[in-house]
Amino acid sequence: MPTYKIRGIDVDFPYEAYESQLVYMDKVIQSLQEKCNALLESPTGTGKTLCLLCATLAWRKSLGSFTTGVSMQADDKSEGKNDVSSSQSESSRFSTIVYASRTHSQIRQVIQELKRTSYRPKMVVLGSREQLCIHDEVKLLRGKTQTNACRLLCRRRGKRHCNHFKKVPEYMKDNPQLGEEPVDIEDLVNIGRRFGPCPYYLSKELHKFVDIVFAPYNYLIDRGYRKSLQLSWSNSILIFDEAHNLESICADAASFDLPSWLLTACISEAESCIDLSIERRDKSNDKSQNPDDFAILRALLLKLEKRIAEVPIESKELGYTKPGPYLYELLADLNITHKTASKLRDIVAVASTLLEEHNQQKSTGTVCRLDRIGEILDMVFRDGRTAHAKYYRVHLREVEAWSGNGSKGKVSRTLSWWCFNPGIAMEDFPKYGVRSIILTSGTLSPMESFAQELKLDFPIRLENPHVITANQIWAGVLPVGPSGRTFNSSYRTRDSPEYKQELGNAIVNLARIVPDGLLVFFPSYYLLDQIIACWKSSNENSTSIWDRICKHKKPVIEPRDSSSFPLSIKDYMTTLNDTSASGAIFFAVCRGKVSEGLDFADHAGRAVVITGLPFATSTDPKVRLKREYLDQQSRPQGELFKVLTGDEWYNQQASRAVNQAVGRVIRHRYDYGAIIFCDERFSHPHRQSQVSRWIQPHIKCFSRFGEVVFTLTRFFRDVGTQGPTKVSMLEAKNGGNIGEILSSDQNMDKFHKEKLLSHLATPMTQNFSASSLLDTKKGCTSFLGEIVPANRSSLFSDNGKTVHCESSRNICGRVLLGERKTLQSQECDRLDLADDCQLGEKSKDTPIAPCSSKKRRFITGDYDLKQYFGNSNEHSSSASQSAQGGVDLRHKDGVASDSLELIRQKGNLPDDFVPSVGDETKGSAFLAQVRDKLSAAEYINFVGYMKALKTKTMKISEVLQCISRLFTGPDRLPLLKRFKDYIPAKYHSLYEHYVEKK
């Protein structure tokens, strides 16, 4: 196992670390050493979790050895007295690490990563009773009902008690080594079932003596859960993994909504408590519950219901809004104040227990609604203070209720107390003396809002690149559709039939080009429904867009309801695994279920299409009030932290939703895919600056749909034959250990060869129409030709013969140019390209062909670039000598390289061709620099543009514009300047015009 010295700390890492992983671990250790907070973004697939664990535990180990052993002594007066061993006493002065993630499934994955490391800290995973309870009756319950039932059985001493709870101290005493090897929730449950102790209380007891605690977010964010943790917060380390939604989670945890139906249910439960307490007093002389208390509770709830109903709401859209402190005035009218709130909370707690006991006797699993009233009182009257109310807004709105019980048409009101300062949930940690807070995720960008919203200082920040290479990603902005209409999903254009049809035609073409799985994200469910409905409608004389999509891929639509979602995922994956199908397309929504936490690795997600910016509904009361609140806070008030404006927050939330959706693809080192932004607004630099940093260098803005078709087709064809492989097939051979696969070059080489051979040997089994008809402004009809779908290795021509698509592997990583093959056109889908799109216009039967079956050779030598600029006075004389040539080349010293050969396309460079002497050496040096600065795919584009210029298939203005775009970026500025030397003087001003736009 390799060991890396990072900031003086020896870090054991299971595999050879990538540079980005070392940088990530360096930032983690810096945060811990300097006692400061960190925001760390690293794309999925870069080993973020493993790096986080190794760096944190290596730093902790450098302070002293991990905790070992824990002994318990049972005592009659308590559930268990702790006798802390000497190892624990020594280690108690060291930092406790709390590792939090959103869900238990994510925590399970983190513990699997821990098992791969050499570190064995004493650890425990905390979970809810729902995951851990093994009591035959209680495990069937849920929520507060389950919690109250558990507590009731643990308090009892008679026949009806929890035997599992009693066995915890004895098991802890006999097994002091528990937690020294990684244990998951399933492991704790198995221990409970086999040996008897309650897994829930076992973890609660163990967490007092460990080096690292794994827990869901709510254990840190929710004040009630946090108080239940018996941790030494001073000098502790808090890690929030998958923290991209932390702001909204914190705000929601500090807010409440009280709808009319819930208030009515609480009133009904209070009435039941009155009846139950009277019944108990009469039957068994049980006076432990006072009916008068429940009568007071019922009366207060009825007054609150009446008070809410009396509030005047003039505008149904705007509702009724007041500052946060207004809630105290409202409750004071009901005599609910700081003095009376504690008494009222006690009554609610007793009422909940009474209802639970009754429900258990009747064997009903009814949820106690009164518990929510108790939670609201805790939230409003926290710590006996009211200062936090300034971060809130009181809002009352009414909506039309509907249900099958006759309430349809009735007006229902909801009282809300919304928190607009997520930092409230985090403000206690600095007071506790927490050493460092680390927030990390694959999609934190744009980062600035995290520090501003959470009111924490994050001096250490990192936006890590991906571990993939440039030829594994295609990212582009597609501002126009096939017929040149602009893509813009704003409310001004999104409802127009023209926009919907243009987007549909683009999706048809992308579904044909992209292999296997394609994800298409819409800004909202509304747009998803509207656009798909438009696509399904068709004229009598034409095939609908939906049918054309189905011709290439089976569509799956993300459902609104969660219960149907697993079936849609299963349908999607089943289609992908069906060898007779050409793939599947998943239509989903940003911020929806598909965009959150799902892994579409390898063939499950070869491309993601973003059809617009997912702005939240601006008229939504919560969104509107949040923007107003931020605008008020952003005025100069001597704040320690810069505050976002409402518009900044609004835009950044949309960008973060885009980043989260985009993150579904390219999930590991050997994965590859395309990211397609179908909205002109993504071409703006400001908008691109909010895209995840690892994507930004690869984004190109295209002016014509034909360019996208051309480059995207070539990307998938090249990467499919030369590039990365699917890890899943190798993983099966290595016992599921992906890390071993990533570090095994031998395995990768072997798999590349097998994959290449399978591609060459597999003929196409389906007939398929893939030509595209280009309509230009000139009225000239020409064929783009047979664009081979990237998941097909051959084509059928009209006569039924198979034309194979073959390729040799690019071993040296240099640029390969394939020979273009003339193919006959089949019956085709109509593709209306923009009027200035003239790809293939010169020759109607020259398509974007599959990879050549002829042996490929590398381009090398000395070039005269001026030959490409037509018959101007300034261009090299060699252009006229090689009118049929592809490139003009002259080897240094007249000696040809044995290892690198010239590509000779059919009829282009004869064997006896002799290039002319001129500025060839200078041109060669420039091309070498171009090869060095551009990625393989970009260099292919560069050579393609030059050839298109020579053969006059593109206008010189288009070529100059494309090349100036290709050379955009600080490190490519010399290319941008030097290329002017090879342009005829009469085109200098035109070129400078395009350069100034960059």
Side-chain angles (χ1 to χ4, degrees):
M1 182 174 290
T3 299
Y4 298 92
K5 180 77 75 174
I6 303 176
R7 292 182 171 267
I9 305 293
D10 289 330
V11 180
D12 294 335
F13 200 69
Y15 319 110
E16 293 293 334
Y18 301 119
E19 180 64 28
S20 60
Q21 292 175 328
L22 295 175
V23 171
Y24 186 93
M25 289 190 283
D26 178 86
K27 293 296 183 183
V28 172
I29 293 175
Q30 181 186 358
S31 169
L32 302 178
Q33 289 178 334
E34 298 179 2
K35 298 184 179 182
C36 56
N37 304 328
L39 280 177
L40 307 177
E41 179 185 78
S42 194
T44 301
T46 57
K48 166 177 56 70
T49 301
L50 194 62
C51 293
L52 192 55
L53 287 171
C54 289
T56 305
L57 293 174
W59 172 83
R60 165 60 185 81
K61 190 176 180 181
S62 71
L63 302 179
S65 60
F66 292 129
T67 303
T68 57
V70 54
S71 59
M72 301 283 296
Q73 289 184 345
D75 188 85
D76 292 337
K77 297 181 181 179
S78 65
E79 279 75 23
K81 258 189 183 177
N82 307 325
D83 181 20
V84 182
S85 67
S86 59
S87 172
Q88 287 174 263
S89 300
E90 293 172 2
S91 63
S92 61
R93 68 179 184 272
F94 298 134
S95 301
T96 300
I97 303 162
V98 184
Y99 194 115
S101 195
R102 286 188 306 129
T103 64
H104 282 287
S105 61
Q106 289 171 342
I107 292 174
R108 188 180 302 115
Q109 294 170 8
V110 173
I111 294 174
Q112 290 301 316
E113 292 295 305
L114 176 61
K115 291 178 180 179
R116 295 185 186 185
T117 73
S118 65
Y119 298 102
R120 289 297 177 263
K122 196 168 187 69
M123 57 80 64
V124 70
V125 55
L126 298 179
S128 65
R129 289 175 173 85
E130 189 172 327
Q131 279 89 25
L132 291 167
C133 182
I134 57 174
H135 189 279
D136 292 337
E137 296 177 6
V138 179
K139 70 180 181 182
L140 302 176
L141 305 175
R142 291 292 178 268
K144 281 285 186 180
T145 306
Q146 186 182 52
T147 301
N148 293 335
C150 172
R151 289 172 178 170
L152 184 65
L153 290 176
C154 291
R155 285 197 299 265
R156 285 182 171 177
R157 293 289 187 269
K159 291 182 179 179
R160 194 168 167 74
H161 70 281
C162 181
N163 190 47
H164 300 293
F165 174 72
K166 301 296 183 183
K167 292 183 178 181
V168 171
E170 183 181 354
Y171 186 84
M172 292 284 288
K173 179 181 178 182
D174 295 339
N175 298 273
Q177 77 287 352
L178 181 64
E180 292 173 18
E181 286 294 323
V183 289
D184 200 352
I185 282 180
E186 288 77 8
D187 299 321
L188 290 173
V189 170
N190 290 335
I191 288 173
R193 287 172 178 166
R194 186 176 177 185
F195 301 105
C198 171
Y200 176 77
Y201 283 101
L202 198 62
S203 66
K204 291 268 287 183
E205 193 64 37
L206 187 60
H207 92 274
K208 304 171 188 176
F209 318 109
V210 296
D211 301 303
I212 183 168
V213 177
F214 296 94
Y217 278 174
N218 56 332
Y219 276 84
L220 296 180
I221 294 172
D222 187 279
R223 292 168 60 84
Y225 277 108
R226 194 191 308 158
K227 288 178 180 178
S228 71
L229 297 178
Q230 297 182 34
L231 295 175
S232 174
W233 293 104
S234 177
N235 207 36
S236 61
I237 312 299
L238 306 187
I239 298 172
F240 290 87
D241 199 358
E242 301 298 334
H244 48 272
N245 286 331
L246 188 61
E247 299 157 290
S248 59
I249 292 172
C250 288
D252 291 343
S255 305
F256 74 79
D257 293 303
L258 182 61
S260 296
W261 67 265
L262 179 58
L263 190 53
T264 302
C266 291
I267 293 170
S268 177
E269 288 183 350
E271 291 174 351
S272 298
C273 288
I274 296 172
D275 296 337
L276 287 171
S277 59
I278 293 174
E279 183 182 342
R280 284 192 175 191
R281 186 179 60 183
D282 293 343
K283 285 187 176 182
S284 58
N285 200 28
D286 183 357
K287 298 181 181 180
S288 58
Q289 284 92 21
N290 187 351
D292 293 341
D293 289 340
F294 305 133
I296 293 172
L297 175 62
R298 176 180 175 274
L300 288 174
L301 294 177
L302 282 170
K303 283 185 179 180
L304 179 60
E305 184 180 50
K306 182 181 178 183
R307 185 76 176 81
I308 291 173
E310 290 174 347
V311 173
I313 298 180
E314 297 179 359
S315 170
K316 197 171 183 180
E317 288 185 0
L318 297 178
Y320 180 83
T321 304
K322 287 286 186 179
Y326 171 78
L327 184 65
Y328 295 104
E329 298 177 24
L330 178 67
L331 295 177
D333 291 343
L334 310 176
N335 197 29
I336 302 176
T337 63
H338 280 91
K339 292 181 179 179
T340 61
S342 58
K343 173 63 175 175
L344 194 57
R345 282 198 295 261
D346 293 339
I347 295 174
V348 169
V350 173
S352 297
T353 303
L354 181 61
L355 289 170
E356 284 302 332
E357 292 176 351
H358 176 71
N359 291 337
Q360 279 193 337
Q361 291 173 2
K362 300 295 184 181
S363 299
T364 61
T366 308
V367 176
C368 182
R369 304 294 184 184
L370 274 172
D371 283 322
R372 185 56 180 159
I373 299 297
E375 293 170 358
I376 290 173
L377 291 172
D378 286 337
M379 191 182 301
V380 175
F381 297 101
R382 52 179 279 187
D383 301 333
R385 297 181 293 114
T386 60
H388 60 290
K390 65 182 179 181
Y391 304 120
Y392 285 77
R393 293 292 180 271
V394 176
H395 185 74
L396 188 64
R397 64 191 183 281
E398 59 182 21
V399 293
E400 185 177 302
W402 64 275
S403 68
N405 58 10
S407 63
K408 183 176 181 180
K410 294 183 180 179
V411 173
S412 173
R413 289 192 170 191
T414 298
L415 174 67
S416 300
W417 203 47
W418 288 328
C419 175
F420 293 130
N421 176 16
I424 280 184
M426 310 287 282
E427 67 179 0
D428 288 337
F429 293 129
K431 300 174 186 176
Y432 293 162
V434 169
R435 183 186 186 96
S436 299
I437 299 175
I438 298 176
L439 307 187
T440 185
S441 177
T443 49
L444 286 179
S445 299
M447 278 190 172
E448 190 59 33
S449 66
F450 272 88
Q452 295 175 12
E453 286 273 82
L454 296 176
K455 299 294 186 292
L456 292 174
D457 186 24
F458 291 93
I460 298 176
R461 303 185 187 188
L462 173 67
E463 293 180 78
N464 231 354
H466 212 298
V467 293
I468 60 171
T469 56
N471 69 337
Q472 291 172 247
I473 178 174
W474 186 101
V477 179
L478 183 52
V480 295
S483 60
R485 292 191 180 94
T486 301
F487 284 142
N488 188 312
S489 68
S490 66
Y491 68 93
R492 295 183 184 88
T493 57
R494 67 189 182 192
D495 290 323
S496 69
E498 294 79 12
Y499 167 76
K500 296 173 183 177
Q501 291 169 5
E502 189 79 346
L503 181 62
N505 286 327
I507 298 298
V508 169
N509 284 279
L510 295 175
R512 180 182 57 200
I513 295 169
V514 176
D516 302 315
L518 173 61
L519 307 177
V520 180
F521 286 97
F522 291 86
S524 65
Y525 282 108
Y526 168 80
L527 266 184
L528 171 68
D529 295 339
Q530 292 292 314
I531 290 177
I532 288 181
C534 174
W535 291 349
K536 288 182 177 179
S537 63
S538 61
N539 299 323
E540 296 180 0
N541 301 326
S542 64
T543 306
S544 70
I545 291 174
W546 187 254
D547 289 337
R548 291 163 59 203
I549 292 173
C550 295
K551 178 181 176 183
H552 301 298
K553 293 189 187 298
K554 180 180 177 180
V556 178
I557 302 174
E558 177 182 341
R560 286 176 183 257
D561 59 305
S562 300
S563 59
S564 303
F565 183 61
L567 292 176
S568 61
I569 287 290
K570 183 179 179 181
D571 189 20
Y572 180 74
M573 297 308 297
T574 301
T575 303
L576 288 177
N577 294 326
D578 183 0
T579 55
S580 64
S582 59
I585 182 169
F586 212 136
F587 294 106
V589 174
C590 291
R591 296 192 187 90
K593 292 169 282 293
V594 174
S595 67
E596 279 287 330
L598 291 182
D599 187 356
F600 291 89
D602 301 307
H603 70 293
R606 282 300 175 216
V608 57
V609 177
I610 304 296
T611 62
L613 284 162
F615 289 110
T617 305
S618 59
T619 55
D620 180 272
K622 203 169 187 178
V623 174
R624 175 173 55 81
L625 292 175
K626 172 75 172 184
R627 296 176 73 175
E628 291 176 3
Y629 167 83
L630 289 175
D631 285 337
Q632 292 173 4
Q633 295 294 312
S634 62
R635 295 169 190 159
Q637 297 175 351
E639 293 279 345
L640 293 175
F641 297 94
K642 180 186 174 184
V643 180
L644 287 171
T645 65
D647 284 343
E648 287 172 341
W649 170 83
Y650 190 63
N651 277 278
Q652 290 190 6
Q653 290 300 307
S655 296
R656 188 166 293 121
V658 168
N659 291 335
Q660 192 62 22
V662 164
R664 298 312 93 209
V665 298
I666 313 181
R667 305 287 292 184
H668 58 79
R669 172 67 181 86
Y670 294 97
D671 205 354
Y672 61 90
I675 299 166
I676 306 161
F677 299 100
C678 289
D679 193 305
E680 64 169 350
R681 290 172 290 180
F682 284 106
S683 61
H684 302 154
H686 169 69
R687 188 62 60 189
Q688 289 186 24
S689 69
Q690 295 190 347
V691 174
S692 293
R693 182 68 62 86
W694 70 272
I695 301 173
Q696 290 182 26
H698 306 286
I699 298 177
K700 297 179 180 60
C701 296
F702 296 90
S703 58
R704 297 174 294 121
F705 188 81
E707 273 187 301
V708 174
V709 172
F710 180 83
T711 58
L712 194 58
T713 302
R714 187 165 49 193
F715 166 77
F716 280 115
R717 192 163 308 133
D718 290 347
V719 77
T721 55
Q722 305 166 13
T725 148
K726 295 178 183 176
V727 169
S728 54
M729 295 181 66
L730 284 174
E731 187 179 347
K733 296 182 180 181
N734 288 270
N737 192 339
I738 298 179
E740 291 180 6
I741 298 165
L742 301 186
S743 62
S744 174
D745 293 333
Q746 185 177 359
N747 282 339
M748 294 310 303
D749 289 340
K750 177 182 177 182
F751 189 73
H752 273 304
K753 293 174 184 175
E754 291 175 355
K755 184 175 181 184
L756 178 59
L757 291 174
S758 66
H759 272 280
L760 296 177
T762 306
M764 183 174 179
T765 56
Q766 279 183 293
N767 199 350
F768 168 141
S769 170
S771 305
S772 300
L773 181 64
L774 307 187
D775 288 350
T776 65
K777 230 179 214 176
K778 300 174 183 178
C780 173
T781 302
S782 61
F783 289 99
L784 186 62
E786 301 281 336
I787 301 178
V788 185
N791 57 335
R792 290 289 178 263
S793 55
S794 59
L795 287 173
F796 275 85
S797 59
D798 285 342
N799 57 12
K801 293 181 180 179
T802 301
V803 183
H804 288 278
C805 171
E806 299 179 349
S807 164
S808 62
R809 186 181 172 198
N810 181 0
I811 298 173
C812 299
R814 298 214 182 187
V815 179
L816 297 175
L817 292 180
E819 179 182 285
R820 294 195 173 190
K821 197 180 277 282
T822 301
L823 301 175
Q824 295 180 346
S825 173
Q826 298 172 271
E827 182 183 355
C828 61
D829 291 326
R830 185 174 181 83
L831 178 67
D832 298 323
L833 293 182
D835 50 307
D836 61 340
C837 181
Q838 300 177 30
L839 264 173
E841 188 174 320
K842 181 73 177 176
S843 175
K844 293 185 179 182
D845 56 356
T846 303
I848 301 172
C851 305
S852 172
S853 59
K854 291 191 176 184
K855 182 178 179 181
R856 300 180 172 204
R857 305 180 182 182
F858 296 105
I859 298 178
T860 187
D862 299 324
Y863 294 82
D864 179 8
L865 289 176
K866 292 181 180 179
Q867 62 161 315
Y868 290 95
F869 289 95
N871 294 320
S872 67
N873 295 330
E874 295 85 355
H875 85 292
S876 171
S877 60
S878 62
S880 60
Q881 296 179 14
S882 57
Q884 303 297 321
V887 286
D888 190 6
L889 174 151
R890 189 175 188 85
H891 294 289
K892 284 187 179 181
D893 304 321
V895 180
S897 170
D898 293 330
S899 59
L900 299 176
E901 301 174 322
L902 168 70
I903 284 187
R904 298 179 181 276
Q905 296 189 354
K906 187 174 181 180
N908 279 0
L909 290 180
D911 294 335
D912 59 352
F913 174 76
V914 179
S916 62
V917 180
D919 293 331
E920 297 89 354
T921 302
K922 183 180 177 182
S924 177
F926 175 72
L927 283 182
Q929 190 178 9
V930 171
R931 272 200 305 271
D932 181 60
K933 294 293 184 182
L934 301 186
S935 66
E938 290 171 330
Y939 186 71
I940 289 176
N941 289 342
F942 172 78
V943 177
Y945 293 141
M946 300 303 292
K947 283 184 169 291
L949 179 65
K950 182 171 182 63
T951 57
K952 297 183 180 179
T953 55
M954 287 179 69
K955 298 175 181 177
I956 190 168
S957 59
E958 296 170 0
V959 172
L960 295 180
Q961 186 177 13
C962 291
I963 289 178
S964 63
R965 188 184 302 125
L966 207 58
F967 291 165
T968 300
D971 60 330
R972 300 179 184 180
L973 188 59
L975 301 181
L976 201 62
K977 294 179 178 178
R978 285 193 59 192
F979 187 73
K980 181 181 176 182
D981 297 339
Y982 302 97
I983 301 173
K986 65 180 181 181
Y987 298 124
H988 283 184
S989 59
L990 180 63
Y991 181 67
E992 289 169 354
H993 169 71
Y994 293 130
V995 169
E996 287 173 0
K997 287 185 175 182
K998 299 300 150 191

